[in-house]
Amino acid sequence: MNTGTMTNNERLRALVEASGLTQAVALTVFNRGLGPAAYSESAWKAFLVSPDSSRFRPLKDELLAHAEKQFGKVTRTRLDIGVHVHQ
């Protein structure tokens, strides 16, 4: 995967897929540390839909950085307990 040419939304989709989590659980992981700024299921799905969709919402750089940090914790935890993440 060449992350240099991926949009923020594509990178988020790749993180969710690599985590092996359902979208609902992935949203919970993403919302960790956001407090009252946490995202609704509808807003979350807007980050994951095709850019051609009327529901599409671009993911800001700072939210991608947050997602990479949170999903990195999940991936490390899953690997530490012997669960292999399929990429």
Side-chain angles (χ1 to χ4, degrees):
M1 166 180 9
N2 183 355
T3 59
T5 60
M6 296 175 80
T7 67
N8 288 355
N9 295 67
E10 290 169 334
R11 180 69 182 131
L12 178 63
R13 283 193 294 276
L15 288 168
V16 172
E17 184 178 317
S19 75
L21 302 173
T22 65
Q23 282 193 17
V25 174
L27 173 58
T28 299
V29 169
F30 179 78
N31 277 333
R32 284 187 189 148
L34 293 179
Y39 284 82
S40 67
E41 182 179 358
S42 175
W44 172 248
K45 288 182 176 181
F47 293 138
L48 301 173
V49 298
S50 168
D52 298 334
S53 171
S54 62
R55 292 179 34 213
F56 178 79
R57 183 174 179 179
L59 185 69
K60 295 179 181 178
D61 291 342
E62 57 271 14
L63 287 176
L64 176 60
H66 172 77
E68 289 173 332
K69 180 179 177 184
Q70 296 307 313
F71 284 98
K73 290 177 185 177
V74 169
T75 301
R76 282 191 305 276
T77 300
R78 288 173 61 98
L79 292 174
D80 287 347
I81 62 172
V83 177
H84 298 286
V85 177
H86 301 285
Q87 295 185 8

